[in-house]
Amino acid sequence: MNSVFFLVLRRMRAPIIVLIVFYAIAVLGLTLVPGVNADGTPAPAMSFFHAFYFISYTATTIGFGEIPVAFSNAQRLWTTACIYMTVISWSYSILTLLALLQDKAFQHTLVASGFSRRVARLHAPFFLVCGCGETGSLICRALDILGYDFVILDKDPQRVEELDLEDFKTNDPTLAADAGAAANLLMAGLRHRQCKGVLAVTNDEECNLAIAINTRLLNPDIPVLARARSPGVMASMASFGTHHIVNAYERFAEYLALAVSSPERFRLIEILTGLPGTALPQVHRPPHGRWIICGYGLFGRSIARYLTLPGITLTVVDPESDGPANGRTVRGIGTEVHVLEAAGIREAHGIVAGSPNDINNLSIAMMAKKLNPHIFVVARQNQGANDVLFDTFRADFSMVHTRIVAQECISVITTPLLSRFLAAIRQADERESQALVQRLEEVCKGHVPEVWSVTLDQHNALAAHKALLNKRPLSAGHLLRNGARRETSLPAIILMIERNGEVFLLPDADFMLMADDTVLLAGLHLVRSSLLLTLHNANVLHYILTGEDKGGGWLWQRISARRH
Amino acid sequence: MNLEKVIFAFFIVFAATLNFGFFLGDIDRPELHNIYELFAAIVINMIATVLKFGDRTQIGAVLLSTSLVADLQLIAAAVIWAVAVHVNGAGMTPDVTASVVSLSGGALLANIISVTMLVVETVMMRR
């Protein structure tokens, strides 16, 4: 039995006992008080049966009058006392029950037990998202588009209530509770058979660390992704074996450096790791040369470290700390003209407005544009709420850390193969990257494509697996044929095929597949379901391979076989 | 000393003794079985049952179930009495009395189990 039931029973003890006692006294009294006959002679008292019947309807204030015969005055006196007694005891019971229902602790137990029941009933693979602020909701929205289930834990009850208003396709369980506590994580399905991963993306670093540690200890088999900012927390997460630590500052600095040194490859990574369904990002071409970094906190430090490339000189503007050894430092925030001029704004090629204050960053960026209209502006946006301001300003490159964390989490947990692909194309030169970017742009028509992998085994691709085991030739090109008209092909690209740990990058259409290969694809969402049909439905696969339509099920095949 | 435990023990033992008092005497002689004693046994038994509500311990759960059994038996006895006296007008004939008293005997057995468990729990408690 669940705890809610026990809580109710426990709280209702006193009122129920009062009810029983008052009923007993009332019934007992009625069996003792003498009655009167119609002719005025004294009559014996009521029996227990009549007394109980009379009290039952009197106590519930139904009131039928005096039954079975008119009462004596002594009986009326006692009945008056009974009415007040029983009304008090019923009111006490009802008030206790109402108070219990309004009790915060009771409500929490009620919500929590409902939540854990729903989690236990989940049958599809799901992710456990801890913290549902800006990052968390971006992740949830993307997971929703990709068709995954998720369970959300967030500390803020108001935020959880707002989540109910989000228009998710599936009705996913959410609970307002501290995600750092082991009990809450377990209730949210940390040890659930279908739990495929934990995302620790709360705003609180210590909490993220606690989630990572809990996951490593309580269920070491599932991956945990944790968000961190400071090097200390990153180090302790790493020492606990957290599978993936997402540091938005480091990642953005790395991307910026990549965009400076090899813009085409950066563009390719940007397209493949974007949030599916959003508009394709703009092309960024940050220049080499003199760069100014405003704000030398954790973010500025990461940028300075990654931007230490040949051909780049750095000037740091910060009110307190000193810049790196290889650059100049100017004291100030960067919103003042004389500070920017001292930092050499007129000769600079790029500026990073990277303070933790959004308004300051916008002010720096606008001032810089005014002083030097050709400068490349990188703006850091701290809060999603300031979207409108930053969209209006249109920096050349903006950094929204919630978006970066969300992108990285999604690409890592939904397609583990993608990171291998990205590592593999590090050797690719700019020309190859550009060619692939062009193909992707043609395929996905202005939106970020979905990237997914499918393993050609019995579980994920029944028909294809069977065909491959029967030595029927199935090539990479066949996968992308349209199941309705095989002459046309689906708008998708096969990025990579993995076979026993070996990878084949960008296979051409003649590449022959084997059973248990894993294929990594990029394309629009509708391609995914179309491909699923090809891989699972033997008739569609047969049509694609041979061009003849075999017709529907077993019965139809029997009929058509007899006709030939 | 735990006041809750004292009160519970009081009601369990009280229920058993009242039940025993009603049960005592020749099974088919209505004048030996006082109806007020049956009434008191029912009330005290119900209170003892409610006192075990919301007890999540194993022994608490078993005590709750034995109390519920006693309640059911006693209420059945009361219903038979009411039917015989007021519904079909048979009155307290020896066989009606026998069935009322034997039902209360069943309740007595359940109450004895309760008391035994109470004693066992008390003996096993070390401080």
Side-chain angles (χ1 to χ4, degrees):
Chain A
M1 277 192 272
N2 58 42
S3 53
V4 177
F5 184 67
F6 277 102
L7 225 99
V8 174
L9 282 183
R10 216 182 158 81
R11 286 285 197 90
M12 289 308 286
R13 266 186 202 171
I16 292 177
I17 288 176
V18 168
L19 208 58
I20 292 174
V21 169
F22 281 9
Y23 263 65
I25 294 173
V27 171
L28 186 69
L30 275 184
T31 61
L32 298 175
V33 180
V36 64
N37 283 325
D39 53 6
T41 53
M46 277 189 216
S47 71
F48 272 111
F49 175 67
H50 286 140
F52 182 68
Y53 172 61
F54 177 74
I55 289 301
S56 296
Y57 74 66
T58 303
T60 48
T61 67
I62 299 167
F64 288 132
E66 297 170 351
I67 285 178
V69 291
F71 284 2
S72 68
N73 282 333
Q75 279 177 321
R76 287 189 184 134
L77 186 68
W78 180 244
T79 305
T80 313
C82 292
I83 289 171
Y84 285 101
M85 257 186 335
T86 47
V87 165
I88 288 168
S89 59
W90 271 118
S91 323
Y92 178 37
S93 302
I94 291 166
L95 288 179
T96 310
L97 205 60
L98 287 180
L100 182 63
L101 286 180
Q102 286 184 342
D103 192 285
K104 281 269 176 283
F106 177 74
Q107 281 174 353
H108 183 77
T109 323
L110 204 68
V111 170
S113 72
F115 171 79
S116 67
R117 231 177 305 132
R118 282 180 60 195
V119 170
R121 250 189 270 135
L122 282 176
H123 288 303
F126 70 92
F127 293 100
L128 176 49
V129 183
C130 303
C132 201
E134 282 172 14
T135 316
S137 31
L138 272 177
I139 291 176
C140 291
R141 237 169 281 151
L143 283 176
D144 196 50
I145 290 172
L146 294 170
Y148 288 97
D149 278 346
F150 42 88
V151 173
I152 302 171
L153 274 184
D154 194 292
K155 220 179 204 167
D156 184 6
Q158 203 183 342
R159 182 79 200 111
V160 169
E161 269 173 37
E162 281 168 14
L163 280 174
D164 285 345
L165 305 177
E166 296 250 3
D167 194 18
F168 291 135
K169 270 183 273 180
T170 49
N171 190 9
D172 298 288
T174 51
L175 181 70
D178 181 13
N184 292 335
L185 284 170
L186 286 175
M187 191 160 64
L190 185 59
R191 277 188 173 151
H192 195 292
R193 222 159 17 88
Q194 296 285 6
C195 185
K196 294 296 173 222
V198 177
L199 295 138
V201 288
T202 64
N203 283 327
D204 181 1
E205 289 207 313
E206 296 299 322
C207 187
N208 289 343
L209 181 61
I211 296 164
I213 291 172
N214 272 313
T215 312
R216 289 299 297 156
L217 291 178
L218 297 173
N219 193 351
D221 297 334
I222 60 171
V224 50
L225 275 78
R227 162 202 207 169
R229 285 196 196 99
S230 64
V233 174
M234 278 179 76
S236 36
M237 281 180 178
S239 68
F240 252 96
T242 306
H243 294 86
H244 204 91
I245 302 162
V246 187
N247 184 329
Y249 300 158
E250 293 275 320
R251 187 61 65 204
F252 181 77
E254 193 187 329
Y255 282 169
L256 183 62
L258 191 64
V260 172
S261 59
S262 36
E264 293 302 336
R265 200 167 81 217
F266 169 68
R267 173 91 181 138
L268 178 60
I269 293 175
E270 219 183 358
I271 292 177
L272 289 177
T273 57
L275 292 175
T278 54
L280 267 187
Q282 298 162 311
V283 184
H284 304 294
R285 299 238 189 280
H288 285 73
R290 290 162 185 266
W291 277 78
I292 301 173
I293 299 174
C294 297
Y296 199 62
L298 286 171
F299 178 64
R301 273 168 227 267
S302 301
I303 295 279
R305 201 166 57 247
Y306 277 93
L307 269 189
T308 320
L309 298 168
I312 289 188
T313 53
L314 293 178
T315 307
V316 168
V317 178
D318 195 276
E320 279 143 26
S321 52
D322 281 328
N326 57 351
R328 230 153 45 85
T329 307
V330 179
R331 293 262 174 245
I333 301 176
T335 50
E336 311 95 326
V337 178
H338 67 94
V339 173
L340 284 180
E341 276 179 342
I345 185 82
R346 295 192 197 277
E347 299 83 42
H349 297 92
I351 184 166
V352 179
S355 80
N357 182 324
D358 276 355
I359 301 301
N360 276 355
N361 287 346
L362 277 174
S363 158
I364 292 168
M366 286 165 78
M367 191 64 77
K369 270 277 183 215
K370 207 166 110 194
L371 295 174
N372 181 354
H374 303 294
I375 201 162
F376 187 93
V377 177
V378 177
R380 167 181 171 192
Q381 181 186 342
N382 297 291
Q383 268 150 3
N386 292 330
D387 265 346
V388 189
L389 293 178
F390 279 82
D391 283 352
T392 320
F393 174 69
R394 286 188 169 277
D396 297 297
F397 199 173
S398 43
M399 136 83 181
V400 191
H401 68 258
T402 53
R403 212 167 293 159
I404 291 175
V405 174
Q407 280 180 359
E408 179 138 1
C409 288
I410 290 293
S411 63
V412 168
I413 58 173
T414 59
T415 38
L417 217 52
L418 181 61
S419 50
R420 283 195 70 178
F421 177 74
L422 293 181
I425 58 158
R426 277 188 202 285
Q427 284 90 33
D429 65 16
E430 287 290 283
R431 220 158 25 79
E432 287 173 81
S433 301
Q434 193 183 5
L436 185 53
V437 166
Q438 269 179 2
R439 278 177 66 194
L440 278 169
E441 277 171 338
E442 278 165 29
V443 159
C444 56
K445 302 183 185 86
H447 289 281
V448 173
E450 219 169 278
V451 180
W452 75 98
S453 60
V454 57
T455 307
L456 302 180
D457 58 11
Q458 201 175 359
H459 182 67
N460 294 305
L462 186 64
H465 183 70
K466 219 164 156 187
L468 287 169
L469 286 185
N470 292 339
K471 301 266 182 290
R472 293 185 70 177
L474 180 66
S475 73
H478 283 134
L479 288 187
L480 294 184
R481 294 263 175 83
N482 190 332
R485 283 174 48 226
R486 70 192 282 263
E487 310 81 51
T488 58
S489 57
L490 297 168
I493 297 175
I494 297 183
L495 296 175
M496 188 172 80
I497 289 170
E498 191 206 27
R499 180 179 295 164
N500 299 330
E502 199 183 347
V503 294
F504 303 92
L505 284 182
L506 297 169
D508 51 22
D510 301 328
F511 186 91
M512 297 316 285
L513 294 168
M514 278 163 71
D516 298 318
D517 282 357
T518 304
V519 186
L520 180 71
L521 302 106
L524 292 182
H525 185 71
L526 50 108
V527 176
R528 197 166 170 173
S529 44
S530 177
L531 180 71
L532 206 67
L533 192 68
T534 310
L535 292 175
H536 269 288
N537 190 316
N539 290 333
V540 176
L541 188 68
H542 183 80
Y543 165 71
I544 280 176
L545 289 175
T546 62
E548 61 185 75
D549 200 344
K550 247 171 59 165
W554 172 84
L555 181 70
W556 189 250
Q557 285 183 18
R558 279 290 175 93
I559 296 171
S560 53
R562 193 166 298 168
R563 213 185 278 160
H564 289 304
Chain B
M1 196 173 73
N2 185 338
L3 188 65
E4 197 183 313
K5 286 202 160 59
V6 173
I7 293 174
F8 177 67
F10 170 78
F11 275 98
I12 276 283
V13 175
F14 196 15
T17 51
L18 283 170
N19 201 339
F20 180 71
F22 178 74
F23 179 73
L24 207 62
D26 285 345
I27 199 163
D28 54 354
R29 287 171 60 191
E31 66 273 20
L32 295 183
H33 303 282
N34 192 335
I35 192 71
Y36 282 92
E37 206 156 7
L38 177 63
F39 175 71
I42 292 177
V43 171
I44 299 300
N45 242 307
M46 285 171 94
I47 292 176
T49 311
V50 174
L51 281 173
K52 274 292 127 185
F53 273 9
D55 190 339
R56 299 190 80 163
T57 58
Q58 177 62 29
I59 209 141
V62 182
L63 280 172
L64 177 64
S65 60
T66 51
S67 284
L68 280 172
V69 169
D71 283 344
L72 282 179
Q73 298 247 20
L74 289 173
I75 289 170
V79 168
I80 288 179
W81 170 85
V83 168
V85 173
H86 294 282
V87 180
N88 56 20
M92 289 304 274
T93 56
D95 53 325
V96 171
T97 312
S99 52
V100 169
V101 174
S102 63
L103 275 169
S104 82
L108 180 63
L109 186 61
N111 269 327
I112 289 170
I113 294 173
S114 289
V115 173
T116 316
M117 280 181 12
L118 197 71
V119 172
V120 170
E121 195 194 5
T122 317
V123 169
M124 279 172 64
M125 200 157 59
R126 296 207 186 100
R127 293 193 64 116

